[in-house]
Amino acid sequence: MRKNRAGVLDKAETLIKALPWLERFHGTTVVVKYGGHAMSDEALRHSFAEDIVFLRYAGLRPVVVHGGGPQINAALEQAGIASTFTAGLRVTTPEAMEVVRMVLTGQVQRDVVGLINRHGPFAVGMSGEDANLFTAERKPALVDGEPVDIGQVGEIVEVQVGAVRALLDDDRVPVVSSVARGDDGEIYNVNADTAAAALAVALDATKLVVLTDVEGLYADWPDSDDVIDSLTTDELAMLLPELSAGMVPKMEACLHAVRGGVPQAHVLDGRVPHSLLLEIFTDEGIGTMVLPTPAGAPTP
């Protein structure tokens, strides 16, 4: 019996359409921030791992930076430690930090590494503490313009990427937990979006991709669900004060990355299977892309 020739030709056409993007991104580094629903849904977890392995086989150099908010909340509840937030940031006591560190490096990271390594010996787990990858300082929250201490929450002040580069040169996939050490020896919980942006800049990455639980940046939320396809850094900076609290760290990460020299940053809906491949290897793409403001462009 003849196979469905039309279906086979459609597959070939899809592959050919990806050729320009394969040529463009071959050998380049892509930093992917992994979190949200894509991390908690079983099918999406597997499709994310497949996407990362596909990127690696296609000749890209993917780096995964992950958070783990829901897993941390569950572990803290189990330990009888209340989850408290100030200005959108988790108040991190020494007791809570022990749980955060254990969950990120001992649970979430091992899960991501294991899923990727079902396809081959690719993924290697790292903490931001390893080889002084991330150095952080204590970061207060701002409440009504006043700084408020929220414990062991850090802001990254230095990135040393030697160990990550060594793994990439060995064709490995670094999987990085968003924990950092301070010069004072303190361990800090750092925002995974921020960590991914800092790492993308330090690695001279071609792309930063942030997976979220929304379709992208909405043009006029909640009055409209139209997604902004692309915008410049200056346009994004103007919008930031109006964004919802959940989108601010993600869009700030994109802004920081592109202003730091990363050519493109993307916010994608991680609930869409294989959204990472759709963004990188298709003409249409999905989500919202942030690009540098052209030199000499008027300020919006």
Side-chain angles (χ1 to χ4, degrees), residues 12 106 262:
V262 178

Side-chain angles (χ1 to χ4, degrees), residues 139-204:
K139 176 184 180 179
L142 286 178
V143 179
D144 297 328
E146 296 295 323
V148 176
D149 181 48
I150 51 175
Q152 290 174 235
V153 174
E155 183 171 15
I156 295 172
V157 293
E158 185 181 357
V159 184
Q160 296 188 33
V161 293
V164 175
R165 287 194 191 279
L167 289 172
L168 291 172
D169 291 343
D170 195 34
D171 291 329
R172 308 299 177 182
V173 177
V175 177
V176 181
S177 302
S178 54
V179 178
R181 183 177 294 273
D183 285 333
D184 55 2
E186 196 83 88
I187 306 301
Y188 291 104
N189 181 19
V190 297
N191 180 278
D193 301 309
T194 306
L199 188 54
V201 171
L203 286 171
D204 299 316

